Amino acid sequence: MFKHILVPTDGSRLSEEAAGAAIRMAKPLGARITALHVVPEPVGGGLDAWTHADAQFEAHLGKSLEARGYQYLANIKDLARRAGVPCECALVRGESPHGEIVVEARSRGCDLIVMASHGRSGDAGLLLASETIKVMTLGDVPVLVHRSRAARQASAAG
């Protein structure tokens, strides 16, 4: 069955729930997980650079986003440690999160990707789930889409 599960996170509650599901699945399988956070590349210049007095705004923003990403990864590593599931963490930079997720899954030999679905219907749901959809359609590693109970209930009610 599955031996190496990639768990991308954006730090949201739903991503953490998906990570918890991946850890619960990995435990009886004897699988390991790799938690991944993709730090977006700054778009560069433009309005942000113009509106901030800090000439190093983009560099400072990048460091802040990295620090936040490392915290997201530490949260998942702690969940895995408490469950007794081996966990590595990776933080990468990239312009397209879905592209980086696919590259990391391939290069690390992952045989499953577990990602969150934001569980919303309509146009908002399509936009929020677009990274998951892109990973599913562009990658060649199977993707398990986790929908939280709250997301399923909200979708059914709406």
Side-chain angles (χ1 to χ4, degrees):
M1 199 57 160
F2 301 113
K3 294 294 176 195
H4 190 183
I5 303 170
L6 184 71
V7 183
T9 182
D10 62 5
S12 68
R13 178 183 55 83
L14 295 176
S15 284
E16 286 193 7
E17 288 178 14
I23 291 165
R24 287 188 302 278
M25 182 172 47
K27 177 80 173 164
L29 295 173
R32 62 189 171 106
I33 68 166
T34 295
L36 173 69
H37 179 71
V38 179
V39 177
E41 289 290 346
V43 281
L47 188 58
D48 280 338
W50 181 73
T51 59
H52 294 279
D54 183 359
Q56 297 297 313
F57 173 73
E58 286 182 20
H60 292 150
L61 176 61
K63 287 181 182 179
S64 177
L65 292 174
E66 280 185 11
R68 188 173 65 179
Y70 283 123
Q71 185 58 55
Y72 299 155
L73 296 172
N75 292 344
I76 294 173
K77 188 167 186 85
D78 185 54
L79 286 173
R81 180 192 54 77
R82 287 188 273 142
V85 172
C87 177
E88 297 177 357
C89 294
L91 185 135
V92 298
R93 288 184 158 276
E95 290 182 19
S96 71
H98 66 275
E100 296 301 325
I101 292 166
V102 170
V103 166
E104 289 295 314
R106 285 181 188 147
S107 69
R108 293 174 178 276
C110 297
D111 48 15
L112 180 67
I113 301 170
V114 175
M115 295 182 72
S117 165
H118 287 279
R120 296 184 181 98
S121 58
D123 293 339
L126 182 61
L127 291 173
L128 288 170
S130 65
E131 293 303 320
T132 301
I133 292 168
K134 289 175 188 173
V135 170
M136 290 170 55
T137 56
L138 299 176
D140 54 2
V141 176
V143 178
L144 185 144
V145 179
H146 179 267
R147 286 189 65 194
S148 71
R149 180 174 295 153
R152 288 190 305 268
Q153 290 171 344
S155 182

